[in-house]
Amino acid sequence: MYPDYPGYGFGPTGGFFSDFGIFGVVFAVFVGLFVCVFAVFIVQGLRQWNRNNHSPKLTVPASVVAKRMKVSGGHGDTSASTWYYVTFQVDSGDRMELAVSGREYGQLSEGDRGSLTFQGTRYLNFKRG
């Protein structure tokens, strides 16, 4: 369209990188890194989800030994997010920390004994008794 204009196209005499200089290169590298990191997190999440789906559902005697929550955000005008975790100890002495809902977190107390049902790293249920 403008063959005589030296800044036209993406060749050695023009285009994105020459128009924006080093900023264009640095920006492209950061965008590329962001996309790669985001893709890695998605792939890891899908792998864990798939492993959980292919794991057997187990129900074992267990006790609640610890509870914790993780809060992020909430600075200035941003909203806060809270994640809840409970550590269970099974009769063999092994411990596992599982993410639970806020409702489950509130209903469980340290020292509770009962039957823990889980699938891989996915918490399903805990029945006292």
Side-chain angles (χ1 to χ4, degrees):
M1 186 172 186
Y2 303 105
D4 296 332
Y5 179 64
Y8 176 74
F10 287 92
T13 61
F16 181 79
F17 294 115
S18 67
D19 288 347
F20 293 102
I22 191 71
F23 174 76
V25 174
V26 171
F27 179 76
V29 167
F30 277 115
V31 168
L33 284 173
F34 178 78
V35 169
C36 289
V37 168
F38 189 70
V40 166
F41 280 119
I42 288 176
V43 168
Q44 286 177 340
L46 289 173
R47 284 173 130 177
Q48 186 63 53
W49 176 80
N50 191 38
R51 274 191 295 248
N52 284 342
N53 285 345
H54 287 91
S55 295
K57 291 181 182 178
L58 300 175
T59 301
V60 295
S63 60
V64 176
V65 293
K67 294 169 50 174
R68 74 177 178 95
M69 64 177 92
K70 177 182 175 186
V71 180
S72 68
H75 303 289
D77 292 338
T78 64
S79 63
S81 297
T82 307
W83 290 268
Y84 301 96
Y85 301 93
V86 176
T87 302
F88 297 94
Q89 182 171 325
V90 297
D91 287 346
S92 66
D94 292 332
R95 291 183 176 198
M96 63 183 81
E97 183 178 65
L98 302 173
V100 299
S101 69
R103 181 174 184 208
E104 291 285 335
Y105 182 88
Q107 291 178 349
L108 295 172
S109 296
E110 291 183 18
D112 284 351
R113 288 208 39 82
S115 297
L116 169 66
T117 304
F118 64 98
Q119 184 178 21
T121 61
R122 185 181 298 148
Y123 171 86
L124 298 175
N125 193 6
F126 183 78
K127 291 186 181 177
R128 286 177 199 81

